[in-house]
Structures are given as C-alpha cells and as structure tokens.
Amino acid sequence: MQTSKAERYIGLCIKAGKLTCGFNALAAERKEVYLLILCASASENAKKSALKLKNKFGCELLEYSRGLLEDLTGKTNAKIAAVREKNLAKAILSVLDDDLKIYSGGKG
C-alpha cells in the first residue's frame, strides 16, 4: 500500500518530535496543538473525548480511516494524535483525501 502525502507529513511530525499520542498525554498537554487526528476505530466514548480536546485546543479534528493510527504512529493502541507544529498541520490539512478527512462528530 502506497503512503499518502498526509501520512508522509505525519511521519515528519514523528521525526521532528512534534506528535503527541494518547488521550492522557493530550489531557496533560500544555503546549500549543494545531491539529488532532482520531483513529476511525475509536469507540464512541473516545470520539466524545476527542471532541472535548478539539474544543480545548481550538483546532481541527481529522479522522484517519486508511488503517489503524497505531500502525501509522508506531505507538501501541494509539487512538488519537496531536500535531504540535503549525506548518506541518497546515500541510496535512492541505492534502486531505478519503482516508483522512475532517471529523464532524456524531455517528456515520
């Protein structure tokens, strides 16, 4: 399976140390967050928590549906990730596709 541009940008975030994974880590995050990425396999409670984090940080929330977010990030059982670098967040938002789209909340 070929890697999309958005996935490559997420890889750059990891290499730069600008990606935080997990709900507990994000709840304690004090730095600026520019983009949240939620795994499509997340539970309904996790999705509600993600919407709360979206409101806390005032940023976009994307849903990743190509595979598991943990496979993309290399973090076991990761259901949410945060991009903490403004330009990388803008780059990811500029190359959205069917596998990575804006999450509107709710079912479906």
Side-chain angles (χ1 to χ4, degrees):
M1 187 162 45
Q2 191 173 7
T3 308
S4 70
K5 279 189 176 185
E7 290 171 327
R8 283 184 249 149
Y9 285 132
I10 293 168
L12 286 173
C13 292
I14 294 168
K15 287 180 183 177
K18 297 293 184 179
L19 193 77
T20 301
C21 293
F23 284 101
N24 292 338
L26 286 173
E29 185 65 58
R30 298 286 178 231
K31 297 176 183 170
E32 193 72 31
V33 170
Y34 297 98
L35 181 64
L36 293 169
I37 303 168
L38 178 69
C39 186
S41 68
S43 69
E44 288 302 314
N45 284 339
K47 290 177 181 181
K48 288 177 187 175
S49 296
L51 289 171
K52 288 179 185 176
L53 288 171
K54 175 190 182 296
N55 293 332
K56 173 184 175 182
F57 294 116
C59 62
E60 283 291 346
L61 175 62
L62 303 180
E63 184 177 52
Y64 179 70
S65 60
R66 185 172 188 176
L68 297 175
L69 189 61
E70 68 182 72
D71 293 337
L72 181 61
T73 62
K75 302 288 184 183
T76 305
N77 207 22
K79 296 296 180 193
I80 192 165
V83 177
R84 298 185 332 263
E85 208 284 308
K86 189 175 188 175
N87 292 323
L88 284 170
K90 283 183 182 180
I92 292 168
L93 287 169
S94 72
V95 294
L96 295 181
D97 57 19
D98 290 338
D99 298 327
L100 190 65
K101 55 189 169 200
I102 294 176
Y103 180 72
S104 59
K107 295 185 179 184

